[in-house]
Amino acid sequence: MSTELWTNGINTIPDREFKVLGERFLGWCKQQSKGKVYIVSHDGTITSYRQLISNRLFTRDDFLEDGGWIKVLY
C-alpha cells in the first residue's frame, strides 16, 4: 500500500478508491487463514468497511459507540 495512505489517511480518499483498496485489504485478511481478524480503525472508516462487506449504506446513526465492535462473518 502507498505510504500516502498512512500520511493522509484512508478516510480522506474518494468512495470509489476506498472500495478498491478496501476490497483488496479484506481479501488479504481472508488469505491469512486465521480464525479471527481484528480491524482497529476510525469510526467513519470502520463504517465504510461495514458498508463494503454488507453491501448496505449506513448513516451516522449506524456508527459504533466508543470502543464498539461488530462481528462479521466474511
Side-chain angles (χ1 to χ4, degrees):
M1 294 282 151
S2 168
T3 55
E4 184 178 341
L5 290 177
W6 289 105
T7 305
N8 297 327
I10 196 167
N11 61 331
T12 62
I13 62 176
D15 289 342
R16 211 179 285 187
E17 189 175 344
F18 176 83
K19 183 175 183 197
V20 170
L21 293 174
E23 286 175 346
R24 186 183 309 163
F25 174 66
L26 292 172
W28 177 85
C29 289
K30 193 172 183 178
Q31 288 177 344
Q32 301 312 299
S33 300
K34 302 293 181 188
K36 295 180 182 179
V37 174
Y38 295 90
I39 300 173
V40 179
S41 181
H42 175 271
D43 57 353
T45 305
I46 203 66
T47 298
S48 294
Y49 279 115
R50 290 173 59 206
Q51 289 181 149
L52 189 60
I53 292 167
S54 68
N55 201 27
R56 292 181 40 214
L57 291 179
F58 292 99
T59 67
R60 271 198 144 344
D61 292 335
D62 297 307
F63 278 30
L64 299 174
E65 298 291 324
D66 285 348
W69 62 276
I70 186 166
K71 182 177 184 175
V72 177
L73 301 175
Y74 183 66

